[in-house]
Amino acid sequence: MSLMRCTCGGIDVHAHVVPAHFPACLNAVVPPGWPSTTDAPPQGGLCHRHVLVGGQHYRTVNERCWSAPRRLAELPAMGLAHQVVSPMPELLSYWLPLAPARQLIRYLNDTTAGLCAESGGVLKGLAAVPLQDVDAAIDELRHAIDHLGLVGVEVGSNVNGVPVGHPSLRPFFEACEAMDVPVFVHALKPAGMDRLVGPAPLQQVLAYPTDVGLAAASVITGGLLQACPRLRIAFSHGGGTLASLLPRLQQGWHTFPALRDQLPEAPRDTARSLFYDTLVFDQPTLDHLLATFGDSQLLLGTDYPFNFQEAEPVARVQALGLSASRTEALVAGNARRFLGPRGGLG
Amino acid sequence: MSLMRCTCGGIDVHAHVVPAHFPACLNAVVPPGWPSTTDAPPQGGLCHRHVLVGGQHYRTVNERCWSAPRRLAELPAMGLAHQVVSPMPELLSYWLPLAPARQLIRYLNDTTAGLCAESGGVLKGLAAVPLQDVDAAIDELRHAIDHLGLVGVEVGSNVNGVPVGHPSLRPFFEACEAMDVPVFVHALKPAGMDRLVGPAPLQQVLAYPTDVGLAAASVITGGLLQACPRLRIAFSHGGGTLASLLPRLQQGWHTFPALRDQLPEAPRDTARSLFYDTLVFDQPTLDHLLATFGDSQLLLGTDYPFNFQEAEPVARVQALGLSASRTEALVAGNARRFLGPRGGLG
């Protein structure tokens, strides 16, 4: 019975929402990045819609993106009791002028909150915030947490090229710490695009984890956790490339006085205070994350409902052959700790 | 006795040469990136020199960079019988106009060949080539292999931003395959510099492995090994971030028809045909490389004689607790296979 509970009790912290419709932009000048949707042919009995960004096709999505009943019907087969949902990152709109960005982000947060409200407590939502303006981001965060009941915030791995560990973004993370709001960092507009040789999906496949790895490294080398020691911050895609970078960063910290002088704590230790999802598609790589970051820091992640997803997140963790208590930590316990009291998951 | 042989018989494929002096540029206009050296105060009984690039201080190096006797005296304590030496990558000069680049690269190759000649067969050298012009690079490769006795070639992870897997560089690799010349890919002028938060050494620490990982991925996604199936190509720094990227690339290949249509072989399988050095400073990460790439594909690498180096490359492999034959493969056998007949190491 305890195995059954474990199998069905997973908490997925990495899943996305796309609204079925977007509002018209209220600004006199509609910015080029404003999103919209149009009907697409149904497939497999599911309603589909095309998402357009600035009038160009970005992705075709289905009703799993916005339908609470559809999601609730599918979670048990994935071993999930709860799912923490966040906007499709391409909608975070850091690149829009502030006024339309605020309108769009408020709409996203209302949509996410509505989906969660429909779910009877199964779904929990992460807010979007307009990080192109840190004060506006803090205002939206307060609204989303205090008035919409969202339980955390999703931020991009960089904000218009500025990585999350940069000091210019620190006041936002200080506000998250002060409000006890967990932060989920997702890859976005990644570095390294000019190093890709091949078709467009390589952006998601290779550049996303690259940017997340550099973002997580920037949090370590920028000293964010030393400035905000109670901040809970998680990184998508298993922290991307961080697990490969970290031993070299640790050795570099021993080797270069300029790094050691700047960082009072060893990078390896700081890395073990961050959280990472399990979305790496591979058992040896999960083993490496466990050895590198520790079994207290990993959280289930699926990228549901997109096609490039982990379909069996709980089964993959169970296949690691860990003890029942360590398995329970990866499947749900760590996520409860990451979400904290606002998560409402005990 | 066999353990003693193993301990002292290592082959390090990742070590560097810096000339003690550079010639004057023969061109009428000296390009801004032309290197020079000046005297630096001796330290620890070692002669030191400052390397300047375009008149600006780049790095201070010591006689280990150019002295064969000093190197021969130090290799046994590292468990090394042989070392494969290549120019400090910042000297590869892809960014210089072709005429001065050819002059400088010829000088580098003469210097590397001279160091190897002084070593009585202990040191083997990799050529530099002016890859800003593929035909000129092939000409220099022929000269370096046929007339100077160098045994392989070092190339940057990108050539002025173009990753090594890009089709525009393919004729060079076809020449390497035809001449049976092994290729060592080293990080250079990396992507992701705008994602770093912290002091200058983070370029080497974080951006180098990031660029190598993307370079190795570009070789896989660009189909280089399908075009040149007998090419032997190795990547520095354990392949950088490739081990973190590969499971996602494999899953992406299953998910996205655009990738599967382009790549007849699964990325995981192609990756197991490339070589990687062991320069990752960490046992769990070495274990991950073994699980990901296979024990036939790893080669000792140290970055000797720079301060950010692996001081005990053989001991670190021995600590993995592999069988004697697998240890021997990592310590020397794989390097012999990578170097091939030109290596002259049996």
Side-chain angles (χ1 to χ4, degrees):
Chain A
M1 282 302 288
S2 74
L3 187 65
M4 284 300 289
R5 273 192 64 212
C6 179
T7 305
C8 300
I11 302 172
D12 170 16
V13 303
H14 181 176
H16 294 298
V17 180
V18 185
H21 306 274
F22 288 96
C25 180
L26 297 176
N27 279 65
V29 179
V30 179
W34 191 266
S36 60
T37 57
T38 61
D39 282 334
Q43 288 177 47
L46 295 182
C47 171
H48 278 62
R49 294 186 68 77
H50 300 303
V51 179
L52 292 80
V53 177
Q56 298 292 308
H57 181 264
Y58 172 69
R59 190 179 284 187
T60 300
V61 298
N62 64 49
E63 66 187 51
R64 293 187 178 99
C65 287
W66 57 80
S67 161
R70 170 66 59 184
R71 213 176 271 254
L72 297 193
E74 295 188 347
L75 294 189
M78 301 169 77
L80 299 176
H82 294 281
Q83 196 172 55
V84 182
V85 299
S86 50
M88 177 168 76
E90 197 67 20
L91 301 173
L92 289 177
S93 302
Y94 302 150
W95 39 90
L96 295 190
L98 186 58
R102 291 179 87 148
Q103 184 201 342
L104 183 65
I105 282 173
R106 177 62 57 91
Y107 176 78
L108 290 176
N109 289 336
D110 287 342
T111 302
T112 303
L115 183 72
C116 294
E118 260 196 280
S119 77
V122 170
L123 304 179
K124 302 289 177 175
L126 301 185
V129 291
L131 264 172
Q132 58 269 68
D133 181 314
V134 167
D135 291 334
I138 295 172
D139 286 347
E140 183 63 23
L141 182 68
R142 282 212 184 89
H143 176 80
I145 300 293
D146 293 344
H147 298 287
L148 300 180
L150 299 182
V151 304
V153 61
E154 174 188 47
V155 305
S157 47
N158 70 83
V159 177
N160 301 320
V162 175
V164 287
H166 194 275
S168 61
L169 297 170
R170 183 151 305 168
F172 175 74
F173 294 108
E174 289 169 347
C176 292
E177 185 192 37
M179 294 170 68
D180 200 20
V181 171
V183 179
F184 178 63
V185 180
H186 193 288
L188 183 65
K189 306 272 186 200
M193 289 297 291
D194 59 345
R195 295 296 196 268
L196 306 181
V197 175
L202 291 180
Q203 173 174 355
Q204 280 179 70
V205 172
L206 296 173
Y208 267 24
T210 296
D211 210 65
V212 172
L214 291 171
S218 80
V219 162
I220 296 171
T221 60
L224 179 60
L225 266 280
Q226 282 68 45
C228 303
R230 289 173 294 108
L231 182 68
R232 298 189 304 282
I233 184 166
F235 294 85
S236 68
H237 309 95
T241 55
L242 181 68
S244 283
L245 297 174
L246 188 63
R248 190 168 165 84
L249 179 55
Q250 176 74 11
Q251 181 76 14
W253 182 76
H254 285 295
T255 302
F256 296 107
L259 258 175
R260 211 165 48 252
D261 291 349
Q262 185 153 329
L263 299 178
E265 185 176 61
R268 197 192 297 265
D269 295 334
T270 307
R272 295 175 81 97
S273 302
L274 311 176
F275 292 87
Y276 311 88
D277 74 22
T278 56
L279 187 56
V280 296
F281 300 114
D282 182 59
Q283 182 166 336
T285 301
L286 269 180
D287 286 334
H288 188 228
L289 297 191
L290 281 170
T292 304
F293 301 137
D295 53 23
S296 61
Q297 303 310 115
L298 301 190
L299 317 167
L300 295 187
T302 63
D303 241 334
Y304 177 101
F306 299 133
N307 59 346
F308 192 22
Q309 72 168 284
E310 172 56 78
E312 298 192 308
V314 175
R316 197 181 284 279
V317 167
Q318 289 175 328
L320 294 172
L322 305 175
S323 69
S325 65
R326 294 176 78 198
T327 301
E328 158 63 20
L330 266 68
V331 166
N334 296 339
R336 281 192 211 101
R337 207 171 89 250
F338 168 67
L339 293 171
R342 292 193 188 282
L345 298 180
Chain B
M1 284 303 286
S2 74
L3 186 66
M4 285 298 290
R5 272 193 65 211
C6 180
T7 306
C8 301
I11 301 172
D12 170 17
V13 304
H14 181 176
H16 294 299
V17 179
V18 185
H21 306 273
F22 289 96
C25 180
L26 296 177
N27 278 65
V29 179
V30 179
W34 192 265
S36 60
T37 56
T38 60
D39 283 334
Q43 289 176 46
L46 295 182
C47 172
H48 279 62
R49 293 185 70 77
H50 300 302
V51 179
L52 292 81
V53 178
Q56 298 292 308
H57 181 264
Y58 172 70
R59 192 179 284 187
T60 300
V61 297
N62 65 49
E63 67 188 52
R64 293 186 177 100
C65 287
W66 57 81
S67 162
R70 168 68 59 184
R71 214 176 271 254
L72 297 193
E74 295 188 345
L75 294 188
M78 301 169 76
L80 299 175
H82 294 281
Q83 195 170 56
V84 182
V85 298
S86 51
M88 177 168 76
E90 196 67 21
L91 300 173
L92 289 177
S93 304
Y94 301 150
W95 39 91
L96 294 189
L98 184 59
R102 290 179 87 147
Q103 184 201 343
L104 184 63
I105 282 172
R106 178 61 57 92
Y107 176 77
L108 290 176
N109 289 336
D110 288 341
T111 302
T112 302
L115 183 72
C116 295
E118 259 195 279
S119 76
V122 170
L123 305 179
K124 302 288 177 176
L126 301 185
V129 292
L131 265 172
Q132 58 270 67
D133 181 314
V134 167
D135 291 334
I138 295 171
D139 286 346
E140 183 63 24
L141 182 68
R142 282 211 184 90
H143 176 81
I145 301 292
D146 292 344
H147 299 287
L148 300 180
L150 299 182
V151 304
V153 61
E154 174 188 47
V155 305
S157 46
N158 70 84
V159 178
N160 301 320
V162 175
V164 286
H166 194 274
S168 61
L169 297 170
R170 183 151 306 168
F172 176 74
F173 294 108
E174 289 169 346
C176 292
E177 185 192 37
M179 295 171 69
D180 200 20
V181 170
V183 179
F184 178 63
V185 180
H186 193 288
L188 184 64
K189 307 271 186 200
M193 289 297 292
D194 60 346
R195 295 296 196 268
L196 305 181
V197 176
L202 291 181
Q203 174 174 356
Q204 281 180 70
V205 173
L206 297 173
Y208 267 24
T210 296
D211 210 66
V212 173
L214 291 170
S218 80
V219 163
I220 296 171
T221 59
L224 179 60
L225 266 280
Q226 282 69 44
C228 302
R230 290 174 293 108
L231 182 67
R232 298 189 304 282
I233 183 167
F235 293 85
S236 69
H237 309 96
T241 55
L242 182 68
S244 284
L245 297 173
L246 188 63
R248 190 168 165 85
L249 179 56
Q250 176 74 12
Q251 181 76 14
W253 182 76
H254 285 295
T255 303
F256 296 107
L259 258 174
R260 210 165 48 252
D261 291 350
Q262 186 152 327
L263 300 179
E265 183 176 63
R268 197 192 298 266
D269 295 334
T270 307
R272 295 173 81 97
S273 303
L274 311 177
F275 292 87
Y276 311 88
D277 75 21
T278 56
L279 187 56
V280 296
F281 301 115
D282 182 59
Q283 181 166 337
T285 302
L286 269 180
D287 286 335
H288 188 226
L289 297 191
L290 281 170
T292 304
F293 301 136
D295 52 23
S296 61
Q297 304 309 114
L298 301 190
L299 317 168
L300 295 187
T302 63
D303 241 334
Y304 178 101
F306 299 134
N307 59 346
F308 192 22
Q309 71 168 283
E310 173 56 78
E312 298 192 306
V314 176
R316 197 180 285 278
V317 166
Q318 290 176 327
L320 294 172
L322 305 174
S323 69
S325 65
R326 295 175 78 199
T327 300
E328 158 63 20
L330 267 68
V331 166
N334 295 340
R336 280 192 213 101
R337 207 172 89 251
F338 167 67
L339 293 172
R342 292 193 189 281
L345 297 180

